[in-house]
Amino acid sequence: MSEKISRRDFLKLASAGAATTAVLTGCGPASRYVEREPYTKMPEYTYNGLSTYYATTCRECAAGCGLIVRTMQGRAIKVEGNASNPVNLGKTCARGQATLQGLYNPDRVGSPTKQGRGSSVSPMDWDSAIQIVADALKNNTPSEIAFLMGTGSDHLFDLVSDLANAIGAPAPARFGALSMFESRATLSKAAENLLGQSAMPFFDLANADIVLSFGANFLETWLSPVAYTRGFAKMRRGNPKQRGYFIHFEARMSQTASKADEWIPLLPGTEGLVALAIGRLVAEAKGGATPEAFASVDPLEVASTSGVKLETLEHIAQLIVEAQTPLAIPGGAALGQSNGLSTAEAVLALNALTDNFGKPGGVFVSPLSPNEDAYHRPASALEITEFISKMKSGSIKALFIHGVNPIFELPKSFGFEEALGSVPQVISFATFPDETAIASDYIFPDHHGLESWGYQRVATGSMQPVLSGLQPVVNGVYYTTTDPDTGADTSELLYNARGTADVLIAATQLAGGKFAEALPFKDEVEFIQSKLVNLISEADGSFSAPEINTFTAYFQQHGGWWKKTAELATPSASSVLSKSVNAETAQFAGEGEFIFLPFVSPTLGEAGANKPWLQELPDPTTTVMWNTWVEINPETAHELGITNDDVVEITSEAGVVKAAVYLYPAIHPGVIAMPFGQGHTAYGRYATSVGVSEKFMDLVPTSQYVNGGKAFPRGANPADVLGAHFNEAGDLAFAGMKVEVKKTGEKQVLSRLESRIGVYGEGMGEEH
Amino acid sequence: MIKKFFEWVISPMGRVAVLIGVLALFSLATYGISQSQASPPQPLEFRHDVHVTKGVQCLYCHPGALRGPSPGLPTITKCWGCHQQLAITKTSPRLEKMVALIDPATNQPTMGFEWVPVVQVPDFVHFTHRPHVAAGVNCEDCHGDLSKMEIYENPQVFNMGFCLNCHKEKAGDDQEKLTKLTDCGTCHY
Amino acid sequence: MAVTSDHLYGAKKAHETHHEEEHDPRESLMYDPKPRGEMNQMVMESMTTTSWKFWVVFGILSILVATCFFYGWGYMISEGLYVAGVMRPSYWGVFLVNTVFWIGISHAGTFISAILRVFKAEFRRPFTRAAELMTTFGLIQAGASIFMHMGRVWLFYWMIPIPNARQLWPNFHSPLMWDLLAITTYILGSTMYLFLPLIPDLAMARDRSTGWRKTFFKTLALGFRGTEGEWRHLTIAMNIFAFAIIPVMFSVHTIVSWDFAMAMRPGWSSTVFGPYFVVGALHSGMGAVALVLFIMRATMKHMDYFLRKEHFDGLGKLMMIVSFAYAYFFFNDYIVQWYGGDKWTDILLHWLEEGPMAWMFYQLILFNIAIPFLTLWNKKIRTTPWLLALIGFLINVGMYYERYLIIPVMLTINRMPFTWKLYFPRVEVFLTIGTFALFLWFYMAASRLIPLIPVWEVQEGQMVHSLRKVGKTHVPTVSEFE
Amino acid sequence: MSNQMVDLNRVGAKGAIAEAAEGKWGMVIDRDLCTGCQACVAACAMENNLSFVGEEDAGYGRTQHWIRIERLWEGEYPGVKVEGGFQPMLCQQCGSAPCEPVCPVFATPHSEAEQLNLQVYNRCIGTRYCANNCPYQVRSFNWRDYHIEPFHANLVTGQLVFPLHNQFNPDVTVRRRGVMEKCTFCIQRIHSAQDKAKSEGREVEDGEFTTACAQACPASAITFGRLDHEESLVSQLGHVSRGVKHLEELNTLPRVTYLEKG
């Protein structure tokens, strides 16, 4: 009845007094308050209530899964997988699904902002913004300009590399928390050492009949989770006659481990030894001479050091001997050790022993992505520390940051924040007001992934070379104001963002001279076309086009370009076995009775904390929502007098972090684990936590909201206690820290989906 | 005091007063309902009767009704397509608003009208025009005879009873069809 | 009712002169008659003389009602039910506990007045009205609690079967519909049953009061003048209602129990719930009556004349009998369920006996069974009003526990162990206080507006009771002319 | 106002009994494949306009998930395992649903046309009886208007703007406080697919469309389709030996079959 009222003035009413709304609800439609009026000035076809679908690529991680986004009336409504993209074949992970909440996140940077390192926040227009970028480029000697970029948005990386080359600036450094926790550098180094080429190995999970995973959490965040999950499913149930068997070695039961038929907890850092021991047992069982690689290990000794029973090792070896296509995967925390590289090599050697290189269900080398000359792996932690020392030394005058949040993602001990202080000018292209953006001089907000052009290389995850394409699915986020008298709607742009590529191109044009020559493009799209143009001639493509414009159109329509047939390279197994692998137990830094095992939260990933629905997703193994927890084995906790929801202080040589305890029945007694992803001090209202009292009345704009001192961290960041220790490949030895655990006496009740009564039998008198 | 009140209520005058009060409440409610059905102000008083009597088909301006849920409201481009050829466009004061929006140089509209939808079903009703048109329901069956309406007004309250009556009628004795057409899940989800 | 006063006084003189020692009339209201006018005056005074204490309490109650009941409820409606403590899996909380509790309280009224009237138990006479008021006011609270519980209370009328544009009927499969009908019937019936015996007293009050009270009583008394014909009709009507209301009373609480018994939940789907709830209701009701009578006697003028040891004694006996019945059904319910051996029921019983709410479970047994058993044997305790009131109070606490255990605590355990969570009331606490305050508020208001003692019934009783001289001795006799 | 009333009793429990064990739409969930990755939960939330409730309420048991992934333990360290694998739990669309007969106003009737348990939000008055009576505990109640908390809004030119509202799926009602909600088997997708098929004069093919959860599931552990079509994938999977129905002993005739590890 009171439809007009509720439609027009509802928001006012909602804030004015809910009592009125109660009445409205009573006699009016149940949910008319949602403004579903179309944006004004829309083309006619958007009015008839039909959806339009656009193909693009997910930018929540670097895997490059293809998406089909359903849009309606100029809004992106639902993310679906692109069924034809070889990486994900129509599937998506939770983070991909929630990417819309990034696009429509209320905490996006509204306009180019003069941040002044958080001191003086004032909005500005794009022209002056571009002027500032141009000056930064022009007024500094090229060698003093540095670019720090995330693992996403490859086209921007290419553009910046070209720019850097042309003007003689150092090549951009790429980095991401995921690449740090995945130890990509270690993997590619191991591949280089053993397989002869520095590339991502590809593990053909789908066709293996028994899989040994040494810490590789490929169902969560590792490399290309969706692709590997598909492979896992095929391994399990693809072959109707035989169900694939899966054994996982890790100190804690990760989500991946929870799917294993046998989860074998061991002392962190002994994965390599275990691999070698198994290899030796297999070799002996097969008979013949024990290869050089396994000669040095003594299974019995390994059993005692790693804590894995000898029978178990023998039993596994037996399984491998009987298996048709066994496969061993190194990854995750196993590589984040001082001996990570040798662990990787040991596991690859185990594969070589079972002679599965280049065979179905075996180890391959991922094909290079189209228009890629060589595999550009992200910078290892060691290289980042070098970069930071360069910053400290003051040899960097202007720093451009895009797509990465080092203040949050890097260990405190690297001292990035301090180093930032010695850089005169820091320009951030962040979409969200994250820690790094706030600490920089300017924020020139980039589009969200769903609003931007581009392409994403697929480093691993598909058998074919794949180049996933991005295109804007919506042209910006608008808000509609309604004239209370006439009822006429008018739409305004809510987030005045601009593609960083466009900004750089415009800036170089403005700067003129060699800068203008460096990027001789009208806009971003023209640059992308210049990168695609040589694909036209490529054979065996998913589509072909006579000339570049048609090609680009198809490229966007199909959401990328890929080869029809697999182009997996077969590594040479010859040298692997003869080369001796010197795997010894890992070195642990610092004092303390516990080994600290950080892992990337499966639901949040590296940057999901500002998406409310990812926060609301229960962690697969602990079902904790909206917060950080510390996993401790119940027995250990009992000895320490710690129980659930006790806030403990975790002290390492590098720092201290506080979080609430979750008594986790499936973790090594000598290990405590903690998820990475929470603990933001900025990055929006959902990533930080706000006092309940002000929660419901606080109406100030979010730009002031989050860094206005009102917000305090939600959860804790394990990176705070990580020291600067690296493995042989230069990756961070994040699992190589010893820590002290102290009870603080505080309590913080963790929000769990599970019932502590039903699942742990609390208060039931006896377990049920 | 209370005593007086009691006596007054019992007295004929009191009873009349009570009656009036009750009536006032009812009429207020009825007024509310009628208001919710009145047409909202439009950027331009579009005359349906003229167009319909001139033989313009409904689906010409509202083609969405054939394809999907909403018939769609025409943009000024569509209006201008015809009107630029009509003499009355220059003369009619009512059409000045439209002419004002046309850029004489390009003869293209600079911006569109922001029509305000008149027929609004609540969010929890998922109405789709297509199947109704496909089932041979005429526009005027629900929207009334527009050749007699200067400004469009809802001929009746679009409530559940209105839908159900028609659905039952159409279903007739066909039990299966009735089930489908009176199923809550057909409209509410 | 052709009774002359000298008939009365004859009886009175007779026992005043002799046999003081054999029979102490102070024990029995029936053998201690007063002149009619005096008695009426006493009732009127008890109604009109109001001490400042009354107004203080009344004021406090009014504030409580305004804040806890009305503001609290309005707040909850406008904010949404999240201000209450209900959640998955405990979707029902204290509100339905209150509903069941108040319906339970309301049972005593009808039981005492109707059943005792039907069976002509004489000791009922002075306190039938107090009990009947409890029925009506209790039911009001019960109804309010149900509405509080609803998520969109402003749409409650969708439960009423009225023709509508949606062309939908309510669902008569649903126990909640049965509830609605049963409770409405009960509240109407019991209110009329309260009103009928009130008429003669209202008429009496009308003749003895002035000012606005007179208008008030005049309006309510419907011009009752006490003629033969009027009395005949009244008596017939009262008898009809007395007989009719009893099955309604039993059915109502049986139906309330079906809300739970019909559900597919461990602990709830129990066939004995019907009688179990009825007896439980009587148990709490009796306790409440004892409590109320004690308060009346202590606070209101002249009440010590009307409410005597014998009444508390009779009430005590009733309470004990009911507690026996309750004990039977209690153990029947739990033991049979345990014997059933259903997996989930076993877990549920563990939860009750060892879970965090176990204390409630054991106190329930103590208050509802142990204490009545141990105390009510003793005539001294029965005839000590404050003791009986205390026991009645404890029984009510116990009964509230019982409902609390049955609803939120049992709801914790379902067939999905992953979802078990324990419920804690939040705003419910205030709203509960509100309902109790409103109940007392009504009662206090009523005590000022209508005679709480059905004086005509007392007089009638006193007329038919007399000590007759048979040979050398006097024997109490009851003449039947009702 | 018409005098003849729709007798919803016919569509209620009786209708459910009439349809027997078969049903129309069904789902098969392979617990051996489910990796507990929560993609289905997120997909469901995005498709069906579910509201997130924040840390406090989430911990207190007021999450609005229409599908949740249950994880129970068995054994002790180091032999501890997830009991039978993760178990996605959603409305089982029972053939004879305990939730249906208890609603006093037919807000959760049984759809004879689609053989689903419907939840009619605008009819619901919030007695929450259905949720109590659901053996699977898969119904969630809107305790408050989570969507329109000012907390989620930006203040733009003195006006509250909710950017997140842009994402709402217009095919699904946005629920107000005080109403019950639950998984609908993405009935809006069912309708649009049927509408499309009808406009092209054909039947809906198997796998032509699927629910949001099944569509997202990276392990393809969820299969959705017609139970009454013998050749459809879901009815074939439903008959494999490791298929079980949850709480079958209650004879609720669930439409979701779980494939055990074995």
Side-chain angles (χ1 to χ4, degrees), chain C residues 77 81-82 84-88 91-92 149 151-152 158 168-169 171 174 259 263-265 414 416 424, chain D residues 5 8 60-63 101-104 121-122 124-129 132-133 137 139 143-144 177 246:
Chain C
I77 289 176
L81 272 175
Y82 83 101
V86 270
M87 42 52 163
R88 178 193 300 118
Y91 288 92
W92 286 1
H149 158 87
R152 299 205 292 172
W158 282 354
L168 292 172
W169 286 116
N171 176 4
S174 165
D259 287 351
M264 258 171 107
R265 290 194 70 101
N414 52 44
M416 283 281 146
F424 291 105
Chain D
M5 294 278 171
L8 274 167
Y60 189 60
R62 288 173 172 178
T63 48
V102 298
C103 177
Y121 310 120
N122 47 310
C124 178
I125 57 173
T127 65
R128 308 195 287 292
Y129 200 164
N132 268 350
N133 216 20
Q137 289 295 311
R139 293 175 157 266
W143 301 105
R144 64 178 298 150
R177 72 183 187 292
H246 198 68

Side-chain angles (χ1 to χ4, degrees), chain A residues 89 91 229-230 233, chain D residues 28 30 33-34 214 216-223 237:
Chain A
L89 295 181
K91 300 305 185 179
T229 309
R230 279 194 297 106
Chain D
V28 172
D30 192 333
L33 290 186
C34 173
C217 180
S220 309
I222 308 179
T223 319
L237 279 174

Side-chain angles (χ1 to χ4, degrees), chain C residues 182-450:
Chain C
I183 293 175
T184 340
T185 320
Y186 192 39
I187 199 164
L188 289 174
S190 58
T191 318
M192 280 153 99
Y193 182 62
L194 162 72
F195 183 63
L196 287 174
L198 192 55
I199 294 173
D201 291 339
L202 288 168
M204 178 276 289
R206 173 196 58 203
D207 306 339
R208 281 171 180 66
S209 57
T210 56
W212 65 269
R213 279 181 196 273
K214 193 171 182 65
T215 334
F216 176 71
F217 290 129
K218 192 170 153 202
T219 327
L220 288 183
L222 310 174
F224 182 87
R225 294 193 317 287
T227 65
E228 281 292 337
E230 283 172 345
W231 271 111
R232 202 183 304 108
H233 289 133
L234 189 64
T235 330
I236 294 167
M238 284 192 304
N239 284 337
I240 292 173
F241 267 95
F243 279 95
I245 203 81
I246 292 167
V248 177
M249 170 191 90
F250 279 107
S251 72
V252 167
H253 220 71
T254 314
I255 288 172
V256 168
S257 81
W258 287 344
D259 287 351
F260 310 100
M262 293 282 165
M264 258 171 107
R265 290 194 70 101
W268 276 15
S269 54
S270 154
T271 45
V272 80
F273 256 33
Y276 177 34
F277 269 49
V278 171
V279 171
L282 296 178
H283 202 27
S284 61
M286 293 295 165
V289 173
L291 194 54
V292 166
L293 289 190
F294 168 71
I295 295 170
M296 276 168 65
R297 193 166 190 272
T299 55
M300 286 169 73
K301 201 174 173 190
H302 298 314
M303 282 299 154
D304 47 357
Y305 170 78
F306 290 102
L307 302 172
R308 310 202 179 194
K309 283 189 162 55
E310 59 168 344
H311 304 119
F312 287 94
D313 187 31
L315 202 55
K317 286 177 187 153
L318 257 182
M319 282 163 69
M320 183 160 64
I321 294 159
V322 174
S323 74
F324 290 161
Y326 177 81
Y328 167 75
F329 282 111
F330 177 84
F331 289 112
N332 181 317
D333 181 34
Y334 282 95
I335 291 173
V336 168
Q337 288 208 37
W338 165 78
Y339 189 68
D342 166 45
K343 173 186 167 200
W344 301 107
T345 315
D346 283 356
I347 296 173
L348 179 65
L349 293 178
H350 273 292
W351 172 244
L352 290 179
E353 291 147 13
E354 302 166 35
M357 305 308 277
W359 60 272
M360 206 176 244
F361 184 73
Y362 295 116
Q363 284 191 23
L364 153 78
I365 297 176
L366 179 70
F367 291 161
N368 287 355
I369 298 168
I371 290 184
F373 274 31
L374 296 175
T375 53
L376 291 175
W377 286 107
N378 181 326
K379 179 159 187 171
K380 269 239 161 338
I381 296 179
R382 285 209 305 274
T383 50
T384 321
W386 70 268
L387 265 176
L388 199 70
L390 180 66
I391 294 167
F393 176 74
L394 288 181
I395 288 176
N396 271 294
V397 174
M399 286 314 296
Y400 197 90
Y401 283 171
E402 190 227 26
R403 278 71 178 251
Y404 193 91
L405 284 170
I406 286 179
I407 297 170
V409 180
M410 280 196 184
L411 276 176
T412 310
I413 303 300
N414 52 44
R415 292 181 175 86
M416 283 281 146
F418 193 77
T419 63
W420 295 350
K421 289 229 162 71
L422 182 53
Y423 158 95
F424 291 105
R426 292 180 184 179
V427 78
E428 289 99 317
V429 178
F430 297 97
L431 283 157
T432 310
I433 296 170
T435 46
F436 277 89
L438 189 60
F439 178 80
L440 293 175
W441 189 90
F442 274 133
Y443 224 106
M444 291 183 80
S447 74
R448 299 300 94 191
L449 289 176
I450 58 171

Side-chain angles (χ1 to χ4, degrees), chain A residues 247-294:
Chain A
I247 303 169
H248 190 88
F249 298 87
E250 197 175 4
R252 78 175 266 275
M253 186 188 275
S254 61
Q255 181 198 336
T256 314
S258 70
K259 288 307 292 175
D261 301 286
E262 288 182 46
W263 165 63
I264 294 163
L266 41 54
L267 191 73
T270 59
E271 289 89 349
L273 286 168
V274 171
L276 290 178
I278 293 174
R280 184 183 182 115
L281 291 168
V282 170
E284 283 163 358
K286 279 187 172 169
T290 311
E292 177 61 26
F294 311 106

